[in-house]
Amino acid sequence: MNDEAKPTSRNALYRISQLMGFLLGARFFVAVLLTFALYVSTFFLFNREESFRNFVFDYKVHCIIICSVLSILAGGIINRFYDKEKDQLTQPFRSRLQSFLKEKYFLIAYVVLNALSLGLAIFVSHRVFVFFLIYQFLMWFYSHKLSKIIVLNNFTFVSLTLYPFFGMLIYYQTFSLKILFLAIFLFLMLFIIDITKDTLTRNADKMFGYDTIANRLGFQNTRSVLLILLIITLATSMVLSIGIGFKNIMAWYFLATTIVIIGTVFMLFRNQKNDKFKSLNLLRLWIFFGILAMLFDGIYHKYPWLI
């Protein structure tokens, strides 16, 4: 009885490891966060006139968001395929879990996810199909070539992260100065995060031929670049907090951003053990808080009776 139970439990653990390896390889948890961010920003930022009921039954919006998620999952898989050797050094636990699943299954999943995304996109319109075809090509091209070119790797990575939001902006045709500054703020935050991440993987990047700012300039000069970007981000957050008005939750979020940026600068220049890792996670967490701030701000203005 015990002998039969052991193989069964081992088999279950193996299957769970395979599942976790696939989810991590496809950047599933990042895709979940981006899905949440897309819905929040679409309804409370880009969508100004449509009621909640109309938004819920607007199948085109949901199809576009699903296409985005499927493409992001596929992009995570192809990026993992090209970064496999580097990830074995920088993310050994994730690489170990991914080793439970054969490479062919990752590649099959990549093709299927892209095909599903394009199939759904053509159902919406030919323009949406072309939009996601370009998106998928750029994600492959980034992983294949651009990820190893200095500055262009950071710029392309951030741009691809924001690409689905740009699609929703075009869909609703909602252009304003506020949205422009919000886009600049988010772009700068993601750019800083990506450069900071490169400072943590300098040795692996150098070993596998990834030309990054951290490797080309060294940590001291990279820190100066980060300082300049953080100052610009600070100025942008101040403009947003004043422009939005302090009757809004988002304004207080951007005001509090100054404290986060000062804390990040302090950790970068203190340069003690794990400070770069702490600053990286602080900035990532702050972006998540920004999504929550947008959600509560939108609820406060559209549905105050809920609060």
Side-chain angles (χ1 to χ4, degrees):
M1 186 76 178
N2 291 335
D3 291 336
E4 291 178 0
K6 285 181 180 179
T8 304
S9 62
R10 286 176 183 174
N11 187 54
L13 183 61
Y14 183 77
R15 295 300 180 191
I16 292 171
S17 299
Q18 284 184 314
L19 176 62
M20 288 303 298
F22 176 77
L23 293 178
L24 290 171
R27 307 291 196 269
F28 175 78
F29 302 105
V30 174
V32 169
L33 179 61
L34 282 172
T35 304
F36 177 56
L38 275 168
Y39 270 108
V40 171
S41 60
T42 298
F43 184 66
F44 292 115
L45 184 62
F46 305 136
N47 169 31
R48 292 182 174 178
E49 298 178 357
E50 195 175 40
S51 67
F52 181 72
R53 183 180 181 278
N54 290 336
F55 176 76
V56 169
F57 290 100
D58 189 347
Y59 75 93
K60 289 185 178 180
V61 172
H62 301 298
C63 285
I64 292 171
I65 291 177
I66 292 169
C67 287
S68 299
V69 175
L70 293 173
S71 297
I72 290 165
L73 290 170
I77 290 173
I78 200 64
N79 185 253
R80 170 236 168 243
F81 179 78
Y82 283 100
D83 289 352
K84 183 181 177 182
E85 292 181 335
K86 189 182 84 169
D87 288 345
Q88 287 175 349
L89 288 178
T90 58
Q91 298 172 327
F93 178 71
R94 176 187 290 181
S95 297
R96 175 59 181 161
L97 282 176
Q98 291 170 5
S99 67
F100 284 98
L101 204 60
K102 293 180 180 179
E103 287 297 309
K104 67 176 183 179
Y105 295 120
F106 279 108
L107 294 176
I108 290 170
Y110 170 71
V111 173
V112 170
L113 288 169
N114 276 334
L116 286 173
S117 176
L118 293 177
L120 192 57
I122 196 67
F123 172 73
V124 179
S125 75
H126 70 278
R127 291 182 180 180
V128 174
F129 175 83
V130 172
F131 180 84
F132 282 103
L133 186 64
I134 294 171
Y135 188 36
Q136 292 173 11
F137 170 77
L138 288 174
M139 282 196 285
W140 168 80
F141 193 58
Y142 163 77
S143 300
H144 181 57
K145 288 288 184 184
L146 301 181
S147 62
K148 294 189 176 183
I149 302 174
I150 188 171
V151 179
L152 197 57
N153 46 19
N154 305 112
F155 183 85
T156 309
F157 175 78
V158 175
S159 299
L160 288 173
T161 304
L162 297 178
Y163 191 93
F165 297 92
F166 180 67
M168 299 311 302
L169 180 64
I170 293 174
Y171 178 77
Y172 280 103
Q173 298 182 353
T174 310
F175 298 94
S176 68
L177 197 60
K178 174 187 173 182
I179 290 176
L180 174 63
F181 273 93
L182 282 169
I184 292 171
F185 172 82
L186 186 55
F187 184 91
L188 287 169
M189 288 286 283
L190 291 172
F191 202 76
I192 291 165
I193 286 171
D194 203 43
I195 294 175
T196 305
K197 180 170 62 69
D198 288 340
T199 64
L200 292 169
T201 59
R202 283 176 61 194
N203 293 332
D205 287 334
K206 191 173 183 179
M207 186 181 299
F208 294 104
Y210 291 81
D211 194 7
T212 64
I213 293 173
N215 274 329
R216 181 72 69 89
L217 301 181
F219 179 67
Q220 299 296 330
N221 291 327
T222 302
R223 191 167 57 181
S224 299
V225 171
L226 287 170
L227 177 61
I228 293 169
L229 291 172
L230 284 164
I231 290 171
I232 297 172
T233 307
L234 178 63
T236 306
S237 64
M238 291 303 296
V239 170
L240 280 165
S241 61
I242 295 169
I244 292 173
F246 292 104
K247 291 182 180 180
N248 298 276
I249 296 172
M250 285 299 294
W252 290 101
Y253 166 79
F254 287 114
L255 188 63
T257 300
T258 58
I259 300 171
V260 173
I261 290 175
I262 291 169
T264 303
V265 172
F266 174 75
M267 283 189 287
L268 285 174
F269 278 83
R270 186 176 61 174
N271 197 27
Q272 291 185 4
K273 186 179 180 181
N274 295 327
D275 271 353
K276 287 181 285 186
F277 183 75
K278 290 176 184 176
S279 61
L280 178 66
N281 285 329
L282 174 63
L283 293 173
R284 284 172 170 168
L285 187 63
W286 194 243
I287 289 178
F288 175 68
F289 283 157
I291 300 169
L292 293 179
M294 184 182 295
L295 173 65
F296 290 122
D297 186 76
I299 292 173
Y300 175 75
H301 286 95
K302 283 194 172 186
Y303 313 102
W305 52 272
L306 287 174
I307 301 179

